[in-house]
Amino acid sequence: MHHADVPPPPVPAAEGWTLRPDGPGVWTATRSDGSGEPSVRVELARVLGLPLRHAYPVGARDLAVRTDGDRATCAALLPPLTAALFAGDPDCRRVLAAPALEDADAVARYRDGGFRLVAEADLPGGPVALMVAEPPDVAGIPTALDDMPH
């Protein structure tokens, strides 16, 4: 499948959050309960349309997410957001984030939000930490060679 044949990312949803469109592929997320917590800017794109596709094995429907905002608020948004993204596109195998390697706060934001560090990569904008969230059925598959059938 050529990346031009892949549909755009699903309109994001996240239980407990309201996401308002802010332009193509960009939303502003706020808590639905009106708690007044800071808002989070969310950007979504298919990985195949980004330089990131050369840095990590990706599927045609995998997504890249970028969040900007308060660390704790972003970390609270990410689990329900990724769950909704997987539910909205069952063929998506992973959601990737690629914060700048030297941005410890951003790396912690994704880690606190359920992403795990899988690699470091040099991209045109500089070195990044490749972080991934996977649905439970993918994340539970063992990858150690000793666990593989022979």
Side-chain angles (χ1 to χ4, degrees):
M1 175 181 290
H2 187 268
H3 72 87
D5 300 330
V6 178
V11 173
E15 187 174 333
W17 296 82
T18 300
L19 283 99
R20 186 186 77 245
D22 261 354
V26 181
W27 292 266
T28 297
T30 53
R31 287 237 186 227
S32 299
D33 64 8
S35 65
E37 280 193 47
S39 63
V40 175
R41 178 182 163 93
V42 176
E43 296 177 36
L44 288 175
R46 292 286 182 196
V47 178
L48 283 182
L50 304 172
L52 183 57
R53 73 182 178 276
H54 300 297
Y56 191 74
V58 296
R61 311 261 314 203
D62 291 352
L63 295 166
V65 64
R66 179 181 166 159
T67 58
D68 290 313
D70 172 76
R71 175 177 164 182
T73 307
C74 288
L77 167 67
L78 285 167
L81 176 66
T82 54
L85 292 171
F86 292 131
D89 185 352
D91 292 325
C92 177
R93 296 180 307 162
R94 64 184 58 91
V95 176
L96 290 164
L101 193 55
E102 73 275 359
D103 188 344
D105 189 61
V107 171
R109 175 183 345 151
Y110 292 104
R111 185 191 62 240
D112 294 352
F115 284 66
R116 63 185 171 86
L117 179 66
V118 292
E120 296 174 2
D122 288 321
L123 294 181
V128 298
L130 292 176
M131 304 188 76
V132 66
E134 297 167 317
D137 59 325
V138 172
I141 297 172
T143 57
L145 289 177
D146 290 342
D147 295 336
M148 299 291 175
H150 297 34

mmCIF file of all heavy atoms in Angstrom, residues 16-58:
data_model
loop_
_atom_site.group_PDB
_atom_site.id
_atom_site.type_symbol
_atom_site.label_atom_id
_atom_site.label_comp_id
_atom_site.label_asym_id
_atom_site.label_seq_id
_atom_site.Cartn_x
_atom_site.Cartn_y
_atom_site.Cartn_z
ATOM 1 N N GLY A 16 -12.989 11.734 28.687
ATOM 2 C CA GLY A 16 -12.728 12.749 29.699
ATOM 3 C C GLY A 16 -12.139 14.039 29.148
ATOM 4 O O GLY A 16 -11.835 14.955 29.908
ATOM 5 N N TRP A 17 -11.985 14.112 27.824
ATOM 6 C CA TRP A 17 -11.361 15.266 27.187
ATOM 7 C C TRP A 17 -12.224 15.769 26.035
ATOM 8 O O TRP A 17 -12.927 15.002 25.397
ATOM 9 C CB TRP A 17 -9.984 14.898 26.638
ATOM 10 C CG TRP A 17 -9.026 14.516 27.714
ATOM 11 C CD1 TRP A 17 -8.922 13.294 28.329
ATOM 12 C CD2 TRP A 17 -8.065 15.354 28.334
ATOM 13 N NE1 TRP A 17 -7.945 13.329 29.280
ATOM 14 C CE2 TRP A 17 -7.395 14.576 29.306
ATOM 15 C CE3 TRP A 17 -7.687 16.687 28.145
ATOM 16 C CZ2 TRP A 17 -6.376 15.096 30.097
ATOM 17 C CZ3 TRP A 17 -6.675 17.198 28.933
ATOM 18 C CH2 TRP A 17 -6.026 16.408 29.902
ATOM 19 N N THR A 18 -12.119 17.056 25.764
ATOM 20 C CA THR A 18 -12.745 17.659 24.593
ATOM 21 C C THR A 18 -11.616 18.101 23.668
ATOM 22 O O THR A 18 -10.689 18.791 24.109
ATOM 23 C CB THR A 18 -13.595 18.897 25.000
ATOM 24 O OG1 THR A 18 -14.595 18.455 25.914
ATOM 25 C CG2 THR A 18 -14.238 19.536 23.791
ATOM 26 N N LEU A 19 -11.678 17.669 22.406
ATOM 27 C CA LEU A 19 -10.656 18.058 21.430
ATOM 28 C C LEU A 19 -11.290 18.948 20.375
ATOM 29 O O LEU A 19 -12.235 18.550 19.700
ATOM 30 C CB LEU A 19 -10.024 16.819 20.792
ATOM 31 C CG LEU A 19 -9.015 16.141 21.728
ATOM 32 C CD1 LEU A 19 -9.634 14.968 22.428
ATOM 33 C CD2 LEU A 19 -7.783 15.734 20.974
ATOM 34 N N ARG A 20 -10.775 20.152 20.266
ATOM 35 C CA ARG A 20 -11.283 21.143 19.326
ATOM 36 C C ARG A 20 -10.285 21.290 18.175
ATOM 37 O O ARG A 20 -9.095 21.494 18.409
ATOM 38 C CB ARG A 20 -11.451 22.488 20.046
ATOM 39 C CG ARG A 20 -12.119 23.560 19.214
ATOM 40 C CD ARG A 20 -12.131 24.910 19.929
ATOM 41 N NE ARG A 20 -10.806 25.529 19.836
ATOM 42 C CZ ARG A 20 -10.000 25.778 20.853
ATOM 43 N NH1 ARG A 20 -10.346 25.487 22.085
ATOM 44 N NH2 ARG A 20 -8.824 26.333 20.660
ATOM 45 N N PRO A 21 -10.753 21.185 16.909
ATOM 46 C CA PRO A 21 -9.823 21.326 15.780
ATOM 47 C C PRO A 21 -9.195 22.718 15.747
ATOM 48 O O PRO A 21 -9.855 23.711 16.011
ATOM 49 C CB PRO A 21 -10.693 21.099 14.546
ATOM 50 C CG PRO A 21 -12.079 20.837 15.011
ATOM 51 C CD PRO A 21 -12.127 20.958 16.493
ATOM 52 N N ASP A 22 -7.902 22.733 15.423
ATOM 53 C CA ASP A 22 -7.142 23.985 15.333
ATOM 54 C C ASP A 22 -6.449 24.122 13.986
ATOM 55 O O ASP A 22 -5.545 24.929 13.849
ATOM 56 C CB ASP A 22 -6.085 24.033 16.429
ATOM 57 C CG ASP A 22 -6.515 24.862 17.615
ATOM 58 O OD1 ASP A 22 -7.580 25.490 17.550
ATOM 59 O OD2 ASP A 22 -5.774 24.866 18.616
ATOM 60 N N GLY A 23 -6.815 23.297 13.029
ATOM 61 C CA GLY A 23 -6.171 23.298 11.718
ATOM 62 C C GLY A 23 -5.949 21.865 11.295
ATOM 63 O O GLY A 23 -6.220 20.944 12.059
ATOM 64 N N PRO A 24 -5.436 21.653 10.084
ATOM 65 C CA PRO A 24 -5.225 20.284 9.604
ATOM 66 C C PRO A 24 -4.269 19.511 10.522
ATOM 67 O O PRO A 24 -3.140 19.926 10.743
ATOM 68 C CB PRO A 24 -4.614 20.469 8.216
ATOM 69 C CG PRO A 24 -4.946 21.878 7.827
ATOM 70 C CD PRO A 24 -5.065 22.656 9.093
ATOM 71 N N GLY A 25 -4.752 18.417 11.093
ATOM 72 C CA GLY A 25 -3.927 17.561 11.928
ATOM 73 C C GLY A 25 -3.604 18.117 13.299
ATOM 74 O O GLY A 25 -2.751 17.577 13.994
ATOM 75 N N VAL A 26 -4.276 19.209 13.708
ATOM 76 C CA VAL A 26 -3.963 19.854 14.993
ATOM 77 C C VAL A 26 -5.251 20.065 15.793
ATOM 78 O O VAL A 26 -6.266 20.493 15.242
ATOM 79 C CB VAL A 26 -3.259 21.211 14.781
ATOM 80 C CG1 VAL A 26 -2.917 21.862 16.114
ATOM 81 C CG2 VAL A 26 -2.006 21.053 13.928
ATOM 82 N N TRP A 27 -5.191 19.751 17.089
ATOM 83 C CA TRP A 27 -6.331 19.925 17.979
ATOM 84 C C TRP A 27 -5.858 20.526 19.295
ATOM 85 O O TRP A 27 -4.694 20.378 19.667
ATOM 86 C CB TRP A 27 -7.000 18.577 18.279
ATOM 87 C CG TRP A 27 -7.658 17.980 17.097
ATOM 88 C CD1 TRP A 27 -8.971 18.096 16.735
ATOM 89 C CD2 TRP A 27 -7.050 17.181 16.081
ATOM 90 N NE1 TRP A 27 -9.202 17.420 15.566
ATOM 91 C CE2 TRP A 27 -8.038 16.852 15.137
ATOM 92 C CE3 TRP A 27 -5.751 16.721 15.868
ATOM 93 C CZ2 TRP A 27 -7.779 16.076 14.016
ATOM 94 C CZ3 TRP A 27 -5.483 15.949 14.735
ATOM 95 C CH2 TRP A 27 -6.503 15.634 13.832
ATOM 96 N N THR A 28 -6.778 21.167 19.994
ATOM 97 C CA THR A 28 -6.531 21.612 21.358
ATOM 98 C C THR A 28 -7.405 20.766 22.272
ATOM 99 O O THR A 28 -8.616 20.675 22.073
ATOM 100 C CB THR A 28 -6.872 23.106 21.535
ATOM 101 O OG1 THR A 28 -6.010 23.868 20.687
ATOM 102 C CG2 THR A 28 -6.666 23.549 22.973
ATOM 103 N N ALA A 29 -6.771 20.124 23.248
ATOM 104 C CA ALA A 29 -7.477 19.240 24.180
ATOM 105 C C ALA A 29 -7.612 19.928 25.532
ATOM 106 O O ALA A 29 -6.649 20.490 26.051
ATOM 107 C CB ALA A 29 -6.711 17.936 24.341
ATOM 108 N N THR A 30 -8.827 19.868 26.078
ATOM 109 C CA THR A 30 -9.082 20.367 27.429
ATOM 110 C C THR A 30 -9.906 19.317 28.168
ATOM 111 O O THR A 30 -10.633 18.537 27.555
ATOM 112 C CB THR A 30 -9.864 21.703 27.420
ATOM 113 O OG1 THR A 30 -11.046 21.541 26.629
ATOM 114 C CG2 THR A 30 -9.017 22.830 26.836
ATOM 115 N N ARG A 31 -9.794 19.304 29.474
ATOM 116 C CA ARG A 31 -10.576 18.369 30.284
ATOM 117 C C ARG A 31 -12.055 18.664 30.115
ATOM 118 O O ARG A 31 -12.473 19.811 30.143
ATOM 119 C CB ARG A 31 -10.205 18.497 31.748
ATOM 120 C CG ARG A 31 -8.850 17.918 32.033
ATOM 121 C CD ARG A 31 -9.010 16.853 33.086
ATOM 122 N NE ARG A 31 -7.700 16.377 33.496
ATOM 123 C CZ ARG A 31 -7.418 15.102 33.597
ATOM 124 N NH1 ARG A 31 -8.336 14.201 33.316
ATOM 125 N NH2 ARG A 31 -6.230 14.709 33.978
ATOM 126 N N SER A 32 -12.842 17.622 29.953
ATOM 127 C CA SER A 32 -14.286 17.776 29.775
ATOM 128 C C SER A 32 -14.980 18.260 31.043
ATOM 129 O O SER A 32 -16.059 18.828 30.984
ATOM 130 C CB SER A 32 -14.923 16.449 29.355
ATOM 131 O OG SER A 32 -14.392 16.021 28.132
ATOM 132 N N ASP A 33 -14.363 18.035 32.201
ATOM 133 C CA ASP A 33 -15.013 18.389 33.465
ATOM 134 C C ASP A 33 -14.907 19.872 33.806
ATOM 135 O O ASP A 33 -15.369 20.302 34.855
ATOM 136 C CB ASP A 33 -14.452 17.542 34.606
ATOM 137 C CG ASP A 33 -12.970 17.800 34.870
ATOM 138 O OD1 ASP A 33 -12.384 18.740 34.287
ATOM 139 O OD2 ASP A 33 -12.386 17.040 35.675
ATOM 140 N N GLY A 34 -14.263 20.662 32.931
ATOM 141 C CA GLY A 34 -14.148 22.092 33.181
ATOM 142 C C GLY A 34 -13.253 22.423 34.359
ATOM 143 O O GLY A 34 -13.403 23.465 34.993
ATOM 144 N N SER A 35 -12.300 21.546 34.664
ATOM 145 C CA SER A 35 -11.432 21.728 35.828
ATOM 146 C C SER A 35 -10.490 22.921 35.687
ATOM 147 O O SER A 35 -9.869 23.327 36.665
ATOM 148 C CB SER A 35 -10.614 20.469 36.085
ATOM 149 O OG SER A 35 -9.722 20.234 34.997
ATOM 150 N N GLY A 36 -10.397 23.455 34.488
ATOM 151 C CA GLY A 36 -9.517 24.603 34.294
ATOM 152 C C GLY A 36 -8.061 24.232 34.146
ATOM 153 O O GLY A 36 -7.189 25.091 34.146
ATOM 154 N N GLU A 37 -7.762 22.920 34.039
ATOM 155 C CA GLU A 37 -6.373 22.517 33.799
ATOM 156 C C GLU A 37 -5.901 23.114 32.483
ATOM 157 O O GLU A 37 -6.702 23.392 31.597
ATOM 158 C CB GLU A 37 -6.268 20.985 33.729
ATOM 159 C CG GLU A 37 -6.249 20.327 35.072
ATOM 160 C CD GLU A 37 -5.821 18.873 34.974
ATOM 161 O OE1 GLU A 37 -4.823 18.571 34.300
ATOM 162 O OE2 GLU A 37 -6.514 18.045 35.575
ATOM 163 N N PRO A 38 -4.610 23.296 32.328
ATOM 164 C CA PRO A 38 -4.100 23.854 31.075
ATOM 165 C C PRO A 38 -4.499 22.988 29.877
ATOM 166 O O PRO A 38 -4.664 21.774 30.006
ATOM 167 C CB PRO A 38 -2.582 23.835 31.250
ATOM 168 C CG PRO A 38 -2.328 23.576 32.687
ATOM 169 C CD PRO A 38 -3.559 22.951 33.260
ATOM 170 N N SER A 39 -4.640 23.612 28.734
ATOM 171 C CA SER A 39 -4.958 22.858 27.524
ATOM 172 C C SER A 39 -3.680 22.252 26.950
ATOM 173 O O SER A 39 -2.570 22.646 27.309
ATOM 174 C CB SER A 39 -5.642 23.756 26.496
ATOM 175 O OG SER A 39 -4.775 24.785 26.098
ATOM 176 N N VAL A 40 -3.860 21.281 26.070
ATOM 177 C CA VAL A 40 -2.755 20.595 25.416
ATOM 178 C C VAL A 40 -2.954 20.703 23.911
ATOM 179 O O VAL A 40 -4.050 20.452 23.408
ATOM 180 C CB VAL A 40 -2.710 19.095 25.820
ATOM 181 C CG1 VAL A 40 -1.637 18.350 25.035
ATOM 182 C CG2 VAL A 40 -2.504 18.943 27.314
ATOM 183 N N ARG A 41 -1.908 21.068 23.211
ATOM 184 C CA ARG A 41 -1.936 21.076 21.743
ATOM 185 C C ARG A 41 -1.537 19.676 21.287
ATOM 186 O O ARG A 41 -0.540 19.120 21.749
ATOM 187 C CB ARG A 41 -0.965 22.117 21.207
ATOM 188 C CG ARG A 41 -0.873 22.171 19.707
ATOM 189 C CD ARG A 41 0.179 23.216 19.310
ATOM 190 N NE ARG A 41 0.605 23.056 17.952
ATOM 191 C CZ ARG A 41 0.069 23.683 16.916
ATOM 192 N NH1 ARG A 41 -0.917 24.527 17.104
ATOM 193 N NH2 ARG A 41 0.528 23.486 15.705
ATOM 194 N N VAL A 42 -2.342 19.093 20.393
ATOM 195 C CA VAL A 42 -2.115 17.735 19.899
ATOM 196 C C VAL A 42 -1.977 17.792 18.381
ATOM 197 O O VAL A 42 -2.829 18.355 17.698
ATOM 198 C CB VAL A 42 -3.300 16.804 20.262
ATOM 199 C CG1 VAL A 42 -3.098 15.418 19.668
ATOM 200 C CG2 VAL A 42 -3.497 16.736 21.761
ATOM 201 N N GLU A 43 -0.896 17.221 17.868
ATOM 202 C CA GLU A 43 -0.701 17.091 16.417
ATOM 203 C C GLU A 43 -0.650 15.603 16.094
ATOM 204 O O GLU A 43 0.022 14.837 16.781
ATOM 205 C CB GLU A 43 0.605 17.741 15.974
ATOM 206 C CG GLU A 43 0.655 19.231 16.196
ATOM 207 C CD GLU A 43 1.998 19.823 15.806
ATOM 208 O OE1 GLU A 43 2.608 19.355 14.811
ATOM 209 O OE2 GLU A 43 2.448 20.743 16.506
ATOM 210 N N LEU A 44 -1.375 15.203 15.040
ATOM 211 C CA LEU A 44 -1.380 13.815 14.592
ATOM 212 C C LEU A 44 -1.067 13.745 13.107
ATOM 213 O O LEU A 44 -1.519 14.598 12.340
ATOM 214 C CB LEU A 44 -2.757 13.175 14.805
ATOM 215 C CG LEU A 44 -3.181 12.858 16.215
ATOM 216 C CD1 LEU A 44 -4.610 12.344 16.208
ATOM 217 C CD2 LEU A 44 -2.262 11.830 16.832
ATOM 218 N N ALA A 45 -0.318 12.725 12.726
ATOM 219 C CA ALA A 45 -0.022 12.496 11.310
ATOM 220 C C ALA A 45 0.290 11.018 11.125
ATOM 221 O O ALA A 45 0.668 10.322 12.071
ATOM 222 C CB ALA A 45 1.178 13.330 10.873
ATOM 223 N N ARG A 46 0.115 10.537 9.901
ATOM 224 C CA ARG A 46 0.557 9.182 9.573
ATOM 225 C C ARG A 46 2.080 9.208 9.501
ATOM 226 O O ARG A 46 2.679 10.099 8.894
ATOM 227 C CB ARG A 46 -0.016 8.726 8.231
ATOM 228 C CG ARG A 46 -1.505 8.526 8.230
ATOM 229 C CD ARG A 46 -1.923 7.277 8.954
ATOM 230 N NE ARG A 46 -3.387 7.130 8.879
ATOM 231 C CZ ARG A 46 -4.075 6.341 9.636
ATOM 232 N NH1 ARG A 46 -3.471 5.573 10.523
ATOM 233 N NH2 ARG A 46 -5.387 6.288 9.522
ATOM 234 N N VAL A 47 2.717 8.224 10.108
ATOM 235 C CA VAL A 47 4.177 8.172 10.134
ATOM 236 C C VAL A 47 4.757 8.105 8.723
ATOM 237 O O VAL A 47 5.807 8.679 8.448
ATOM 238 C CB VAL A 47 4.678 6.996 10.997
ATOM 239 C CG1 VAL A 47 6.191 6.912 10.980
ATOM 240 C CG2 VAL A 47 4.176 7.135 12.423
ATOM 241 N N LEU A 48 4.066 7.418 7.804
ATOM 242 C CA LEU A 48 4.604 7.271 6.446
ATOM 243 C C LEU A 48 4.812 8.608 5.741
ATOM 244 O O LEU A 48 5.591 8.683 4.807
ATOM 245 C CB LEU A 48 3.704 6.377 5.594
ATOM 246 C CG LEU A 48 3.819 4.884 5.861
ATOM 247 C CD1 LEU A 48 2.905 4.105 4.916
ATOM 248 C CD2 LEU A 48 5.245 4.395 5.733
ATOM 249 N N GLY A 49 4.163 9.661 6.186
ATOM 250 C CA GLY A 49 4.332 10.966 5.573
ATOM 251 C C GLY A 49 5.401 11.815 6.236
ATOM 252 O O GLY A 49 5.554 12.989 5.898
ATOM 253 N N LEU A 50 6.153 11.246 7.161
ATOM 254 C CA LEU A 50 7.140 11.998 7.936
ATOM 255 C C LEU A 50 8.538 11.406 7.787
ATOM 256 O O LEU A 50 8.682 10.216 7.528
ATOM 257 C CB LEU A 50 6.755 11.960 9.424
ATOM 258 C CG LEU A 50 5.365 12.462 9.791
ATOM 259 C CD1 LEU A 50 5.076 12.180 11.253
ATOM 260 C CD2 LEU A 50 5.245 13.942 9.488
ATOM 261 N N PRO A 51 9.593 12.207 8.003
ATOM 262 C CA PRO A 51 10.955 11.660 7.988
ATOM 263 C C PRO A 51 11.160 10.544 9.016
ATOM 264 O O PRO A 51 12.008 9.679 8.844
ATOM 265 C CB PRO A 51 11.835 12.869 8.327
ATOM 266 C CG PRO A 51 11.024 14.065 7.958
ATOM 267 C CD PRO A 51 9.581 13.663 8.177
ATOM 268 N N LEU A 52 10.343 10.540 10.041
ATOM 269 C CA LEU A 52 10.402 9.521 11.079
ATOM 270 C C LEU A 52 10.278 8.108 10.509
ATOM 271 O O LEU A 52 10.784 7.147 11.077
ATOM 272 C CB LEU A 52 9.264 9.810 12.070
ATOM 273 C CG LEU A 52 9.084 8.975 13.306
ATOM 274 C CD1 LEU A 52 10.345 8.992 14.149
ATOM 275 C CD2 LEU A 52 7.909 9.510 14.105
ATOM 276 N N ARG A 53 9.639 7.967 9.352
ATOM 277 C CA ARG A 53 9.414 6.636 8.767
ATOM 278 C C ARG A 53 10.724 5.924 8.446
ATOM 279 O O ARG A 53 10.766 4.705 8.356
ATOM 280 C CB ARG A 53 8.554 6.744 7.507
ATOM 281 C CG ARG A 53 9.272 7.325 6.305
ATOM 282 C CD ARG A 53 8.342 7.452 5.101
ATOM 283 N NE ARG A 53 8.992 8.047 3.969
ATOM 284 C CZ ARG A 53 9.133 9.345 3.760
ATOM 285 N NH1 ARG A 53 8.660 10.206 4.641
ATOM 286 N NH2 ARG A 53 9.745 9.803 2.696
ATOM 287 N N HIS A 54 11.814 6.680 8.282
ATOM 288 C CA HIS A 54 13.110 6.078 7.965
ATOM 289 C C HIS A 54 13.872 5.639 9.216
ATOM 290 O O HIS A 54 14.895 4.976 9.107
ATOM 291 C CB HIS A 54 13.980 7.059 7.180
ATOM 292 C CG HIS A 54 13.369 7.485 5.886
ATOM 293 N ND1 HIS A 54 13.105 6.618 4.847
ATOM 294 C CD2 HIS A 54 12.942 8.700 5.468
ATOM 295 C CE1 HIS A 54 12.552 7.272 3.838
ATOM 296 N NE2 HIS A 54 12.435 8.534 4.195
ATOM 297 N N ALA A 55 13.364 6.017 10.388
ATOM 298 C CA ALA A 55 14.108 5.776 11.617
ATOM 299 C C ALA A 55 13.624 4.565 12.409
ATOM 300 O O ALA A 55 14.293 4.135 13.339
ATOM 301 C CB ALA A 55 14.032 7.020 12.511
ATOM 302 N N TYR A 56 12.461 4.026 12.048
ATOM 303 C CA TYR A 56 11.883 2.948 12.849
ATOM 304 C C TYR A 56 10.943 2.161 11.948
ATOM 305 O O TYR A 56 10.274 2.748 11.103
ATOM 306 C CB TYR A 56 11.105 3.555 14.032
ATOM 307 C CG TYR A 56 10.679 2.553 15.075
ATOM 308 C CD1 TYR A 56 11.601 2.015 15.957
ATOM 309 C CD2 TYR A 56 9.358 2.155 15.178
ATOM 310 C CE1 TYR A 56 11.210 1.096 16.917
ATOM 311 C CE2 TYR A 56 8.959 1.239 16.151
ATOM 312 C CZ TYR A 56 9.893 0.713 17.014
ATOM 313 O OH TYR A 56 9.515 -0.201 17.956
ATOM 314 N N PRO A 57 10.868 0.838 12.108
ATOM 315 C CA PRO A 57 9.944 0.066 11.273
ATOM 316 C C PRO A 57 8.497 0.458 11.583
ATOM 317 O O PRO A 57 8.076 0.400 12.741
ATOM 318 C CB PRO A 57 10.205 -1.385 11.664
ATOM 319 C CG PRO A 57 11.238 -1.382 12.709
ATOM 320 C CD PRO A 57 11.617 0.014 13.038
ATOM 321 N N VAL A 58 7.790 0.891 10.572
ATOM 322 C CA VAL A 58 6.410 1.350 10.781
ATOM 323 C C VAL A 58 5.470 0.672 9.809
ATOM 324 O O VAL A 58 5.863 0.237 8.731
ATOM 325 C CB VAL A 58 6.283 2.890 10.628
ATOM 326 C CG1 VAL A 58 7.087 3.601 11.689
ATOM 327 C CG2 VAL A 58 6.677 3.351 9.252
#
